[in-house]
Every structure is written in C-alpha cells, then in structure tokens.
Amino acid sequence: MAGYDFTAIEKKWQDYWEQAGTFRQPNPGEKDFVEAPKLYVLDMFPYPSGVGLHVGHPEGYTATDILCRFARMNGYNVLHPMGYDSFGLPAEQYAVEHGVHPRETTARNIANIERQIRMFGFSYDWSRRLATTDPEYYRWTQWIFLKLYNSWFDPEAQAARPIADLERKLLSGQLVVDMNGGVVPAVAARRIADIDLYGLQVGQMKFSELESDQQRRLLDEYRLAYISEAPVNWCPMLGTVLANEEVTNEGKSDRGNFPVYRRAMKQWMLRITAYTERLLEDLEKVDWPEPIKIMQRNWIGKSVGAEVKFEILGSTGVSPVSSGVSPVTSSFKYYCDDSTRPFPPLVSLSFEGKNPYPPGEPSSPDLIAAARNLPHLEIPGATYFVTFHCAGQEMLSEPERDMVMNACLHWHGSKCCVYAATVLDNHVHMIVRPLEGESMDRLTHSIKSFTAHEINKSRARKGPFWLEESFDHIIRDERWLSDFTKYICDNPVKRGLTSRADAYKWLWINAEELLIRDSAAHFGHESEEYRRDACDTQSNRRDACGTQESIVVYTTRPDTLFGATYMVLAPEHEMVGDLTTREQAEAVKAYVAAAANKSELERTAETKEKTGVFTGAHAINPVTGQPIPIWVADYVMMGYGTGAIMAVPAHDTRDFEFATKFNLPIVQVVQPPEGVDWHGYVDDGIAVNSGPYDGLPTAEFKEKITADLAAKGLGKRAVNYKLRDWLFSRQRYWGEPFPIVHCERCGVVPLPESSLPLTLPDMDDFTPASSSDPDALPAPPLGKAGDWVNTVCPSCGGAAKRELNTMPQWAGSCWYYLRYLDPQNSHRFCDEKIEKYWMNPGGKRHDAARLQSPMGTDLYVGGAEHAVLHLLYSRFWHKVLFDLGYVSTAEPFGKLFNQGMILGIAYRDGRGVAIPLESIDFTGDKPVHKETREPLITSVEKMSKSLKTSAVNPDDVIAQYGADTFRLYEMFMGPLEASKPWNTRDVPGVHRFLNRVWRMIAGDEERPAMIAGQDNPEVERSLNRLTRKVGEDIVAMKFNTAIAAMMEFVNTVYKAASLSAGQARRFLLLLAPFAPHICEELWRQLGGDKSLAREPWPQYDEASIAEESIELPVQVNGKLRARVQVPAGADEAAMLQAAMTEPKVAAALEGKTLVKKIVVPLKLINFVVK
RNA sequence: GCCGGAGUGGCGGAAUUGGCAGACGCGCAGGAUUCAAAAUCCUGAGUUCCUUACGGGGCGUGUGGGUUCGACUCCCACCUCCGGCACCA
C-alpha cells in the first residue's frame, strides 16, 4: 500500500526520543526534577519467552502509553517503566532442551522482546528497566524474604511485626505458651484456684522456662516464612512441587501437563492466611473491576458457619444397645467374658458376646477409645481414672517415660492423692483422688502444667512437651481401691506398675467396670439440678482442654443439624485409625491407602461416583441424641474446615448422592417453598423435624442454634477460608536462591542482609531430577553445586549447608513496581522519599486528582489471567512491607484495568480443518474455499500456532504497516476490556486513515496539502467538539470511540478541503498519544522545532461547540414520524409549535385525540394519541 | 454445579446510561481518475413489502413475557457463547 514512509519516520523519531531523553522521568531530589502532580502508570511486565511478543502484549502497553502521553501533555510527571519477569520454569526447560545455560537464553530472549517493544515507540523511561534475574534485583527479593522470615503476624495489631517483638513479649511474660504450643496473652487468673504452682494460669508455661532450642522452635512456628511438612502438589516429572495455582483442574501441572500427586514434604511456606481478613477488607479501598474483586473474594473463600462437637460412641467393641436423650444420660450395657482378671469384678453386669479386650498388652488407642465412651462427671470425694496424652514432638524415650511417670506419681500433697500412674505409648494414665475442697477439674490442669514443667526442665534439644486431652473417670468404690492398693503393695515394683502389661490391664478393666456401676447408680437417683451442674462442668472442661473424645465438624448450615444422619471424615483425618473397629479395619485401611495413592487427576476424575467406607464407629447427634455412623470418604477434604463433616443428605447434594448410594437415612429438616421437592433441597426454607426450632426460617435458625450450642459447650460460631498458606519453594535451578543456611547446631539460619545477594552458582548440569514414579523424592538441582552448598553458619561459624530450593516465579513479580521507583539504589530496595512521592496522590494543580488514584500506582493494566495469583501475592507482600514501615500505602495498585484477550479468527471447513487465508474467497456473503467452493465456518478462538490463520506476529504487521497503524488498530478494535478477534483484513482501514491524515497536512505527488491561510469555521466547530471528546475518552479509556471521532473529523476536513496550520497542529496534538511517530513528523513539518511530547494539551471553546439550531425528532405514540429544525434556544411552546405544524406529524394527528405531550427539551417530542 | 461477562447488519463494533438503533472502520456495490490495475477521491446500502419512479408502510438489538408515553438500555423466566472456580461442607 502506497502512502507515507512510516519506516523511516518511526525509526527517526524513536532515535530522537532516545537521544533527547524525551521520556526520562527524574525522581524527586534529582537536579532536573520539576515539581508537578505525579502519575504512575504500570504495565504488567512480560515474561521473555523464546516466542517473543504476542499481539496481546502491545494492546495493554499501547493503552497505558496513550494515557501517559496524554498526562505529560497535561503537565504531569509520568512514571512509565518496563522490565522483565525473567526467572521461571519455561526458561529453564528451554535451556535444558537446547543445552544452553538459562542465563544465556534469558539474555537472548530479553534482547529480542525489548527490540520488539521498542518498535512500538512506547514512551517508557528505559533508564528504569529491570530484570528479576539480575542479582542486583533479586538481592532485594531475598531481602524481602528475610523480612518475611524475621516477622510474625501479631493478632493484637492485626499486622506483621518483627519476630524480635514476639520474643521480647514472651520473655517479659506478656505472652505465655499454652498447652497446645500456642502463644497467648497472659491474662490475670480470676480465682486463686486457677493459678498453679508457678503463678501462671493453669495449663500455661513461661517462655523463659523453655530450653533455648525449644524457644527457637516455638518462634519458628510464628514466622511469616516457615518450613512446614504439609501435603503439597508433587510433580515427579518436573521434579518439583507446585503451588495449588499451578495445578490444572485435571490434576496436571500447568507447565507440561504432567501428573501431580499429593505428598507430605518439608517446604517453605508463606503465611498469607494471616492476612485473609485484610486482603478481603482492603479490596474496598481500591478501584478495580468488580469481577476481579469477586474472583479474589472467591479465592479467599470466606464462609461463616459453626463448629459443632459430636461425641463419639462405641469404637473398641463397646457399643450401646440403648441410648437416652443426651450423651450424658445415656445408659450402657457392656459385655465381657474376660476371665483373666486378677481380681473378681465387684459388680455384676450382664455380659454378652465376645471379649472386647483380647489377651496381650492393650494399646493406648484402645484405652482412649474406650475412655471416650464413658461419661465425665464431677462427683465430690470420688477417685478418678485419668488419661493424658503427651503432645511432644517425638515418642518419649524409655527414661523419659519413667520421668513422666515419676513426676505424676509424686504429684500430690496438699491437693490430691495419687494412687498409681503409668505411661504407655505416650499416654499417661493415673488414678487420683482430689482431697477435700479440690475439684478434679482444677486438678487435671495443675497436673498437666506441673508435669510438663518438670519434663521440659530436663529435656534437652527436643521439642516442647505438653500434656493435653484428659479423659477422667470416676472410681468410687473404696473396697476396690483397697484391693488395688494391696495389689500395688504386693507388687515387687511398688507403685510404679512397671510390669505394665498385667498391672495395666487389670487396672483398666476394673476401673471401667466400677465406673459403669457408679454412673448407673448415680443417674438412677440424681436430681435434674445435679445433672445440669454436671453438664456445665463437662463443657467447661472441654473448652479448656481441647477434646479428642469428640469430632468437631465445620458447617455453614447449623440449622440442618437435626437432619445430620451420619458423619464423614477425610481419609487423612487423624482420628480415622483410632475410631475404626476391628471388623472394619481392613476395609478402612485399604480405602485410606488408595486415597493417598491417587493422583489429583484420579481423585477428580471420580467426581461422578462417590466412594467411602464405614469405620464401624458411631457418634451421637448432639441435638437428637441419636447415634449416627461415622464414614470415611474422599469427598471430604482434610484441607478445609476440620476435615470432618456432619452429613445432611436431605439438604446437601453431595451428602444426598452418598446417602443414596450407601443406603443411609435421609431426614428432611427444611421445608422448601410450595411445589419444590425437599430431597436434595439446599436453599433456605422453614425448619421442620427440628424439635423446638420447628417453624424458624433458615437464617434465624442458624443464629439461634449457634448460640444455643455455644451455651452448652457443644459448638461455636466459626469462620473458614479456602485460602491456604503459599507454598513458596521449588526444586528448580532458575529461581532466586533462599538466603538461608541449615546448620547442624543452630538449625535454620538466615543470612545477614549485608551478605546479599546470594547469587546462583554457575552450573553446567542444572537439569532437575525427573521421574515417573510418584514416590520419587525431590532432588533440587542446586544440590549438585557442592562448593556452593557447603558453607559456614553465619551464626556459629560451623559447617552448614545452603538451602537447596529456589523461590517460585511469583517472587520477583511481587514487588517489581517498587523497584522501578528507584532501580539503581544499592542501599535500599527503594528510597523512602521517592516511594512516598510516586505511591501517594498529590501535586500542586487543582485537577491533579483527575487521573490519580487514592493510593499506590495510579493505573495498572494487564490481562485478567493474573486476577488472583500475582495480584493476591503482591498485595500480601506489600502489606507486610507496609506493616514493617517500608512502604507508605496499604495497597500497591490503586486502579486496575484488565484488557480483554485478543483472539484469532479461524476459518474451518466441514471437517473442522483450519483453512489458510490465501485459500479463502471473501467476496461473497460467506467466506468459501477458493478451490472447493465449500462454505467455511468462521470461529473465534484463542490464538495458537496451530491455527494457521490466527497467529499474528507483531514484527510482520509493523513491517507492512508501521507501529502507528498497529497501535491504532489495536485501540480501534473495540473496548479495551473486551475480548475481540484480530482480523488482519481490518488493519488497512486504520492505515488508510493515517494516510489521509498525512495527505491532509503534507499532501502528496498528486494533491497539495489542505492547509489554508485561515481557520475554517466548520472545521473549527468540529475540532472543538473533537478536543472535548478525545480528552474525555482518554480519561475513560474509551480509545476506540476517540479514534472513530478523529476519523469523523478527518472526513469533515476532507469535505471542507481546508484547515489552517493552527487547526492542523491542534489536531496533531490530539492524535499524537495514539500515533506518535506520524504526528511528530507532521508537527515538525508545520514548524515545530522540538518534540510535541510536552506541548500543552489543546483547550476547547465550549461556546463554539454549541449548534445554532438542532434537529428534533418527533414521535407519535413512540414511533418516529419526522424531524424538525428548531433554534438551539427554543422554548417548549416553540418546539411543540414546530412539531405540530410539520406536515407528516399533522397527518398522523389528524382525527385523533391528543392524550399527552411529552417534551424532552432539545432531545425529543412524543405525542400520545388515541 | 457455582460465580462472573457477553449476545446489535455479511464482519469488528457505536448509542450522551430510558429518548433518532446501526456512529466509525472492514467487506460489498456503483461512479470518478487510469490504456488497465493498484492507490486515491466521491456515492450507496439493516431487512422486508408496496411503488415504473418520487416516495411510503411493516419488521428489526439471542428467545418469551412485563414495566413505561417511549426499552439495546430497567424487571422476570429461558437459550447460547466466553472466562473463572470446582466434592470448599
């Protein structure tokens, strides 16, 4: 296509801008910095792949460039940088395949993509260019990691604080350690009785009393970056673990489509979950497209519901044959034909069936499970059988068990009498009687606290030790006790019960039998009042101790509790083993093993068909008192809620399917609206079959039952999130190394900041281990760099090994917008003052805020594919930096704009084969194949190389039409946010427009330019209107209509065939942001002596836009009948007059009754007639 | 399945947010220029019916209903396509 010489012009002006430094933007503090309102316009930086630039990239880049050029002409200081997200898997894979070092391929790819980006003439400040692979860049990525590592999330402040603050608070006693290893505020005990021997609330420990090693471990549990052994997505083919986000729906790796398995592995995690609430709340502060906000909210997945406790019933052969109204008042019958007891039973019970306690040493799970069935009661003067679980990190060693046992045996004196104690499988079992005035409730706390203290004092280099989860039971028969005492006395090992097998079995069986008799007798005659007291005591204790004798479920529908007819545990649930009966053991074991071995793919592929297996155990529905079976099924996941559910088949689709398949009872508890079947009805309704709650609407019911359950200690309000902590390590070479060493003596040790950057070692063999075996172990490539791996510990100077994992690709992109602010700074990731200037609104001009956003970058443009991951991760890092005082805004990106995807058009024949453009005849209504004349189907699809017709290479388009045409075409295609097809056949249209502009101002061989000596009045009005329109459209990012308006203007000029040089110049300024090269050239031809990039944006004259007369549409009964000309200032009467006298209108009104006259001033008139 | 977004000429799309549907561009047709073509310039066109013509009427924004003097725009139900999430209790 003939026309102006865009190739030469574009080269000329790109060189000019580069040499003149036209777009270099000085920072505050630099000598050529000028005080002005700021505008920070950010593009999502590209990943420099080997393929080069895609047509999608320049779409967003052109949009931001237009806005930036517009802002400069409006007097803003504009920050508009570009860089490269150059670490990552594809670069490494490409390098592996081609046997070239990723550093080389990355450098090559960057060079190519930068050449392409520069061809477009974008007004980037190239002096701020960065690459995430540059050691001077990732030095600060590592630095931020250290900040994460050295911080914790202070729940009181709801913010990140240095970990040193936590340590200080713990050492000062402001915070103490509770029995679960949690850090809690030290509250003043309400009663003296709640304080234990060491002045703490019962069940708490002072941090300072812990070994230094234990202290360190405790602190590690609170860091924002921590190592955790958690189930992760392991991809053996890629030889790396992947984030959830990098695994596809089909359970394959995002890259390469390899199978991914769930495996427990030690990995670095970032505690993003600490920020869920703030990540959610602060979405209100930013100007983002609502759909993107919704996607982020969905990803975080907050739901409000309740946790409900279900008591477990019968597991080790003890099963109820009848049950009462509540677990507390249930009565039991047991059978037992054990004849090996050393002492005869003191109470006769009816024994049926077989022996639940087979010969041999009973295991702790057996005992615990049995204990769970027994009621908790607080009876004055009773003797108790108590079981504690030792919650240390490892199994106790033999000497430690003795230590614990002795500690328990010697725990007596003023408060209680300890008859016996033993330790078995990390469980402590004791027989204790509180002395007068003491309650067992308080005693158990003291015992825990005391014992833990004693043990922790003497344990070295092991994790902290706690006692938790007590099960205490009453032994009240004095005669039995004396027999027992006699037995102990007769025993060669006095009181110690070290011949555990016999002594223990004896102890247990008798204790249980006595207990049963006691309870039965007790409930036979106790008053209601006493029963309530017992209940209260029970629930209080559970709150304080945590419970293992019950299963806690999370539900968003506590209102359907009466319809919970069974329970389901996730296969990974820790209680599955304990619960399962011997009869079901095989089946459950097999099922759990199978679930663990399934890849994600297999597990999702089976969505259609529910699977599961019965554990043999039952729980008690807390509101109906009915026993319900406990199942294991993989449709319940360990990672969400508590890993256990109450199943309400009547009102949950999945439970309904499951119950139908396994023939479980389905009970309706919600009444749907008229005509709707209640089977599987999941929406709100009216409660039925729900006892006292019948008739309540769902929402109200939820509130009420949650409160009622809480009052009884059976549940509480709970909030859950789908968001999980961020798996932050990869077993790859091409990523940021962790600034961490592992020292045998000191454990995990961070490098000092002064030693950064920790650069990647130069390696010849950086290939990751690849295997098809799901059980292959990760072998990070860095492990092969021996010299690099072996180092000294910065803390003790001893031998240490470096962390072998690298950071994921997201790391570098989490903060690059901050580095652009001050990219050369070698002392700080970014200067404080500079950060404040660019990240906060401000500037002297009154209209500065027109383009600015309230915080962070003023505009961030990129594809919606980053709607969750990158944007969530960045916000998280930014908030941590904000909490620690390194940045001044709560959010990084004030305004976000998502460009739509550019699709390709493919023409396919009947068989679905894509036909190349050359073989298509477009002359008819429908495209047909040139040879076969077969009609072709036009389909719009994602661009890919396989669709011959749809893949577009920017290089080719620019070579043929130039950058200005490319820019203009992509902006003219449609709204920026919409997905739209690239149609190569439309490109010449905008090119033609630019040629028309050229001929209009510069002329060509055949025709002179249209420049006249004076303003053309018609052109003037049109130009004023255009000036307003283009300004408004740019601010609103409606570039397509701005371009259409400019085309209209040019058409007007062609009709008028003249415009003045001044008018031409004003027009060029309007077009320049869109098509800068041609405008610069024509500007020069019209006498400009420098770039127009900083010429003031043209003003328009409001008065000259107004038309003298307007055309008024006239409707009759809503149908357009005519148009009349009225003066612009016409009043209502004049408009009506003009309308009614119009012949066609008059004809339509003829003989009809005029009912109503609608007059919209200067817009329209409508007559309503009958 | 759930959550978003979108359906307007042969095609990409426009419509001041309830007031002239189809701006602008592609493609198409006709004309001018040319020996001819390309390029360029001008003109035409949603569709259908009546009319030789000039003109004029009907129908038209995925489908069906509703609100309104008036609906591409608001409400209800449904269909199709695109994107995201997906056994999240």
Side-chain angles (χ1 to χ4, degrees):
Chain A
M1 196 185 283
Y4 74 103
D5 183 0
F6 51 82
T7 313
I9 290 170
E10 289 176 0
K11 171 92 174 62
K12 170 181 161 186
W13 285 100
Q14 284 168 18
D15 290 349
Y16 174 93
W17 296 326
E18 178 74 21
Q19 278 155 27
T22 310
F23 303 119
R24 206 187 77 80
Q25 174 56 55
N27 272 336
E30 282 183 58
K31 57 181 185 306
D32 46 351
F33 176 78
V34 182
E35 197 59 51
K38 66 91 190 187
L39 198 75
Y40 185 177
V41 180
L42 182 67
D43 286 308
M44 286 185 187
F45 64 169
Y47 178 83
S49 78
V51 188
L53 216 56
H54 180 268
V55 288
H57 288 118
E59 188 192 15
Y61 299 165
T62 305
T64 51
D65 196 56
I66 291 168
L67 201 82
C68 286
R69 287 174 180 271
F70 173 76
R72 275 187 212 99
M73 293 165 84
N74 280 281
Y76 286 79
N77 279 339
V78 176
L79 181 60
H80 190 36
M82 181 44 71
Y84 307 99
D85 186 15
S86 39
F87 269 131
L89 256 174
E92 184 177 312
Q93 274 182 318
Y94 181 87
V96 168
E97 281 159 25
H98 292 76
V100 193
H101 196 279
R103 195 184 302 110
E104 279 176 46
T105 54
T106 299
R108 210 183 298 155
N109 290 346
I110 287 181
N112 181 47
I113 207 163
E114 181 162 324
R115 174 191 63 78
Q116 290 185 303
I117 292 174
R118 281 177 182 265
M119 286 190 319
F120 287 93
F122 296 133
S123 61
Y124 293 120
D125 177 354
W126 285 105
S127 71
R128 295 174 187 262
R129 179 180 64 159
L130 56 81
T132 54
T133 43
D134 183 345
E136 270 309 298
Y137 180 88
Y138 69 70
R139 165 188 184 174
W140 298 105
T141 312
Q142 292 170 332
W143 178 85
I144 296 172
F145 176 82
L146 288 180
K147 291 295 162 205
L148 288 159
Y149 179 78
N150 285 318
S151 302
W152 72 301
F153 192 82
D154 183 348
E156 214 176 310
Q158 276 295 300
R161 295 286 180 257
I163 194 86
D165 284 7
L166 173 62
E167 196 172 5
R168 209 182 48 238
K169 283 185 180 178
L170 280 164
L171 286 171
S172 72
Q174 205 179 332
L175 294 175
V176 293
V177 183
D178 73 9
M179 290 181 300
N180 300 315
V183 165
V184 293
V187 259
R190 272 170 301 161
R191 295 173 302 165
I192 294 289
D194 290 336
I195 298 173
D196 77 1
L197 300 175
Y198 301 92
L200 290 172
Q201 177 132 13
V202 288
Q204 295 178 344
M205 264 181 289
K206 274 184 180 165
F207 183 73
S208 51
E209 309 251 341
L210 298 175
E211 291 291 320
S212 67
D213 178 66
Q214 295 166 349
Q215 293 182 345
R216 200 175 49 73
R217 281 168 191 243
L218 190 85
L219 290 177
D220 284 352
E221 289 293 307
Y222 280 84
R223 295 175 190 277
L224 291 183
Y226 63 98
I227 296 177
S228 144
E229 172 130 24
V232 295
N233 304 300
W234 164 238
C235 178
M237 280 307 278
L238 288 174
T240 186
V241 299
L242 300 170
N244 289 332
E245 297 79 41
E246 292 167 323
V247 181
T248 63
N249 290 347
E250 291 81 40
K252 300 275 190 124
S253 62
D254 203 23
R255 300 273 181 198
N257 214 31
F258 301 118
V260 174
Y261 303 86
R262 297 293 286 181
R263 287 286 180 276
M265 291 179 177
K266 275 197 175 173
Q267 297 292 334
W268 281 98
M269 308 288 287
L270 297 188
R271 205 177 298 280
I272 191 171
T273 49
Y275 279 84
T276 36
E277 276 302 327
R278 278 173 61 193
L279 289 169
L280 220 42
E281 281 165 19
D282 287 356
L283 279 176
E284 306 303 325
K285 296 181 183 168
V286 293
D287 177 10
W288 286 17
E290 202 50 39
I292 301 298
K293 289 189 182 182
I294 291 170
M295 278 166 79
Q296 289 226 343
R297 285 194 200 105
N298 288 347
W299 194 263
I300 293 169
K302 180 179 181 172
S303 76
V304 179
E307 282 184 358
V308 184
K309 282 172 198 170
F310 283 69
E311 297 290 323
I312 296 165
L313 193 67
S315 52
T316 34
V318 184
S319 59
V321 285
S322 69
S323 61
V325 288
S326 91
V328 177
T329 55
S330 296
S331 62
F332 303 92
K333 276 189 183 174
Y334 294 92
Y335 49 85
C336 180
D337 66 356
D338 193 319
S339 53
T340 63
R341 284 189 302 268
F343 295 89
L346 299 164
V347 185
S348 288
L349 294 168
S350 57
F351 297 126
E352 308 162 38
K354 54 189 174 164
N355 182 4
Y357 304 114
E361 184 171 350
S363 74
S364 272
D366 287 341
L367 295 172
I368 290 165
R372 283 190 185 118
N373 290 299
L374 304 170
H376 292 256
L377 283 172
E378 193 64 40
I379 299 171
T383 305
Y384 290 81
F385 179 91
V386 188
T387 299
F388 294 112
H389 169 56
C390 305
Q393 294 197 358
E394 308 90 5
M395 284 294 281
L396 294 173
S397 66
E398 200 63 32
E400 279 168 343
R401 283 187 198 176
D402 289 344
M403 211 184 294
V404 172
M405 193 167 70
N406 281 320
C408 291
L409 281 170
H410 289 100
W411 201 88
H412 56 78
S414 61
K415 290 180 178 177
C416 70
C417 175
V418 179
Y419 293 103
T422 190
V423 179
L424 191 62
D425 297 342
N426 268 22
H427 290 88
V428 182
H429 307 277
M430 300 172 75
I431 293 180
V432 186
R433 192 185 60 184
L435 295 182
E436 218 163 307
E438 280 298 326
S439 81
M440 195 60 214
D441 197 24
R442 281 202 295 272
L443 266 173
T444 49
H445 287 300
S446 300
I447 292 168
K448 285 176 184 180
S449 174
F450 171 82
T451 315
H453 181 82
E454 288 296 305
I455 303 307
N456 282 326
K457 268 204 299 194
S458 52
R459 295 184 97 207
R461 301 225 169 277
K462 297 259 171 73
F465 166 90
W466 293 276
L467 288 177
E468 54 184 34
E469 303 144 7
S470 75
F471 310 101
D472 46 297
H473 304 290
I474 309 150
I475 306 163
R476 231 173 32 154
D477 192 282
E478 289 301 326
R479 193 155 57 98
W480 178 83
L481 258 181
S482 65
D483 288 344
F484 176 67
T485 314
K486 186 163 168 281
Y487 172 82
I488 292 171
C489 291
D490 291 347
N491 200 299
V493 187
K494 287 186 185 180
R495 298 213 307 174
L497 294 177
T498 42
S499 63
R500 286 197 298 273
D502 281 352
Y504 200 83
K505 200 156 125 196
W506 175 88
L507 169 72
W508 175 251
I509 290 166
N510 285 284
E512 187 191 337
E513 284 178 1
L514 284 161
L515 170 61
I516 293 158
R517 198 225 22 211
D518 266 359
S519 322
H522 179 70
F523 287 116
H525 65 264
E526 288 296 346
S527 67
E528 265 303 311
E529 196 181 335
Y530 187 90
R531 212 173 281 174
R532 215 173 317 131
D533 283 356
C535 280
D536 286 352
T537 316
Q538 174 194 4
S539 54
N540 289 345
R541 181 172 323 127
R542 271 174 212 159
D543 276 355
C545 305
T547 57
Q548 273 264 329
E549 73 270 31
S550 60
I551 300 174
V552 178
V553 303
Y554 172 72
T555 178
T556 53
R557 293 296 299 273
D559 60 296
T560 59
L561 190 48
F562 284 84
T565 53
Y566 65 102
M567 296 180 80
V568 186
L569 302 186
E572 300 87 355
H573 198 283
E574 53 176 4
M575 287 171 72
V576 169
D578 283 358
L579 282 172
T580 306
T581 57
R582 290 202 170 74
E583 291 78 23
Q584 292 297 100
E586 295 259 312
V588 171
K589 221 173 161 180
Y591 185 79
V592 170
N597 264 323
K598 276 185 197 170
S599 71
E600 287 292 305
L601 171 65
E602 289 164 324
R603 212 156 147 169
T604 14
E606 283 168 18
T607 343
K608 290 150 211 134
E609 192 65 20
K610 297 266 181 296
T611 61
V613 57
F614 179 44
T615 60
H618 288 78
I620 293 173
N621 183 316
V623 288
T624 64
Q626 294 296 318
I628 57 174
I630 304 172
W631 285 64
V632 177
D634 65 4
Y635 82 92
V636 173
M637 282 160 306
M638 201 51 226
Y640 185 78
T642 60
I645 63 158
M646 64 178 213
V648 185
H651 306 293
D652 181 282
T653 347
R654 297 147 303 175
D655 297 344
F656 185 75
E657 271 176 50
F658 193 82
T660 310
K661 177 165 174 185
F662 293 103
N663 258 324
L664 291 155
I666 300 173
V667 176
Q668 180 195 8
V669 290
V670 179
Q671 183 64 52
E674 275 297 310
V676 180
D677 184 13
W678 62 265
H679 293 87
Y681 176 79
V682 297
D683 295 323
D684 290 6
I686 305 295
V688 292
N689 297 330
S690 298
Y693 300 98
D694 277 356
L696 284 180
T698 301
E700 212 175 299
F701 191 173
K702 279 184 188 174
E703 294 285 318
K704 190 154 188 340
I705 195 163
T706 307
D708 291 353
L709 288 169
K712 286 187 193 149
L714 293 169
K716 61 177 186 204
R717 201 187 102 96
V719 174
N720 252 291
Y721 303 92
K722 286 191 222 171
L723 184 71
R724 290 184 238 167
D725 275 343
W726 175 11
L727 172 64
F728 195 66
S729 43
R730 301 289 184 277
Q731 292 70 50
R732 305 299 294 201
Y733 171 73
W734 197 231
E736 297 89 347
F738 283 84
I740 292 286
V741 302
H742 298 272
C743 169
E744 232 165 86
R745 204 172 325 160
C746 317
V748 175
V749 181
L751 293 182
E753 287 174 17
S754 57
S755 69
L756 300 182
L758 170 62
T759 51
L760 272 174
D762 227 339
M763 293 174 71
D764 294 330
D765 177 17
F766 41 83
T767 317
S770 176
S771 165
S772 53
D773 175 10
D775 291 320
L777 290 174
L782 284 178
K784 292 182 254 185
D787 295 350
W788 184 84
V789 172
N790 295 307
T791 182
V792 291
C793 170
S795 171
C796 70
K801 286 191 189 304
R802 292 198 190 280
E803 169 68 45
L804 300 181
N805 289 308
T806 52
M807 300 187 200
Q809 198 188 340
W810 308 106
S813 61
C814 268
W815 71 283
Y816 72 111
Y817 58 94
L818 291 170
R819 188 61 178 171
Y820 280 142
L821 303 176
D822 193 11
Q824 319 299 342
N825 197 326
S826 55
H827 307 293
R828 208 166 181 277
F829 71 100
C830 165
D831 180 84
E832 222 173 325
K833 280 203 198 79
I834 294 173
E835 186 273 331
K836 281 209 171 67
Y837 176 75
W838 287 114
M839 294 295 279
N840 291 280
K844 287 184 177 158
R845 278 221 328 270
H846 67 284
D847 66 339
R850 182 160 66 129
L851 295 175
Q852 290 175 344
S853 74
M855 65 172 79
T857 59
D858 298 291
L859 179 65
Y860 192 19
V861 175
E865 67 271 23
H866 294 117
V868 267
L869 307 182
H870 159 63
L871 290 172
L872 203 62
Y873 293 156
S874 274
R875 293 179 62 215
F876 164 50
W877 278 36
H878 193 89
K879 284 182 185 305
V880 175
L881 291 174
F882 174 66
D883 289 347
L884 299 176
Y886 291 104
V887 296
S888 59
T889 63
E891 282 287 328
F893 313 120
K895 179 172 178 171
L896 179 74
F897 196 99
N898 281 116
Q899 83 219 38
M901 209 190 317
I902 294 191
L903 305 165
I905 298 182
Y907 299 93
R908 296 178 179 279
D909 63 16
R911 290 169 303 158
V913 178
I915 309 297
L917 271 182
E918 310 85 80
S919 341
I920 302 173
D921 178 6
F922 287 102
T923 50
D925 262 10
K926 302 267 177 202
V928 293
H929 197 284
K930 269 185 184 154
E931 279 94 54
T932 64
R933 311 308 301 169
E934 185 190 351
L936 301 174
I937 300 150
T938 311
S939 67
V940 173
E941 8 193 305
K942 268 186 188 171
M943 275 199 193
S944 77
K945 270 184 252 169
S946 59
L947 311 176
K948 297 158 206 162
T949 48
S950 73
V952 176
N953 181 353
D955 283 324
D956 301 341
V957 181
I958 289 187
Q960 200 176 349
Y961 297 105
D964 283 337
T965 299
F966 194 114
R967 295 168 55 117
L968 213 54
Y969 172 64
E970 287 212 340
M971 292 302 99
F972 186 60
M973 287 167 79
L976 188 60
E977 66 274 17
S979 290
K980 49 222 172 253
W982 175 286
N983 192 348
T984 301
R985 299 193 310 146
D986 285 344
V987 179
V990 285
H991 187 66
R992 202 168 292 153
F993 164 67
L994 288 179
N995 273 325
R996 278 161 74 81
V997 170
W998 181 269
R999 273 192 297 272
M1000 177 174 91
I1001 293 171
D1004 62 8
E1005 308 83 38
E1006 294 171 23
R1007 247 173 283 244
M1010 298 178 186
I1011 304 293
Q1014 51 188 292
D1015 286 358
N1016 180 309
E1018 199 185 327
V1019 168
E1020 183 60 24
R1021 186 163 53 238
S1022 185
L1023 183 57
N1024 272 298
R1025 206 175 298 140
L1026 180 71
T1027 308
R1028 181 174 67 182
K1029 171 81 176 156
V1030 172
E1032 284 170 357
D1033 280 358
I1034 289 179
V1035 173
M1037 313 256 289
K1038 290 159 72 175
F1039 304 119
N1040 53 331
T1041 50
I1043 293 169
M1046 288 190 279
M1047 288 173 167
E1048 262 180 286
F1049 172 77
V1050 171
N1051 290 344
T1052 305
V1053 175
Y1054 265 66
K1055 283 197 190 100
S1058 92
L1059 79 169
S1060 70
Q1063 288 173 327
R1065 271 194 289 266
R1066 277 155 60 203
F1067 171 71
L1068 287 176
L1069 292 176
L1070 300 182
L1071 179 60
F1074 298 80
H1077 307 92
I1078 187 176
C1079 291
E1080 289 273 21
E1081 182 65 21
L1082 289 171
W1083 180 261
R1084 175 66 54 98
Q1085 289 195 15
L1086 289 176
D1089 56 354
K1090 58 180 189 341
S1091 164
L1092 54 64
R1094 301 205 185 253
E1095 286 295 320
W1097 186 253
Q1099 301 297 301
Y1100 60 89
D1101 175 12
E1102 194 77 52
S1104 83
I1105 291 176
E1107 299 273 2
E1108 281 167 23
S1109 76
I1110 52 166
E1111 198 184 53
L1112 197 64
V1114 183
Q1115 298 179 337
V1116 176
N1117 281 348
K1119 286 213 162 73
L1120 182 74
R1121 291 295 156 184
R1123 290 163 233 252
V1124 293
Q1125 289 290 330
V1126 294
D1131 61 6
E1132 199 165 306
M1135 287 191 287
L1136 277 174
Q1137 175 65 28
M1140 289 174 90
T1141 50
E1142 211 281 335
K1144 269 185 231 160
V1145 178
L1149 295 179
E1150 184 78 40
K1152 304 265 174 66
T1153 325
L1154 191 57
V1155 179
K1156 207 173 175 186
K1157 294 174 278 198
I1158 313 273
V1159 179
V1160 186
L1162 304 179
K1163 274 275 163 64
L1164 164 141
I1165 290 177
N1166 190 11
F1167 294 111
V1168 187
V1169 296
K1170 239 188 330 200

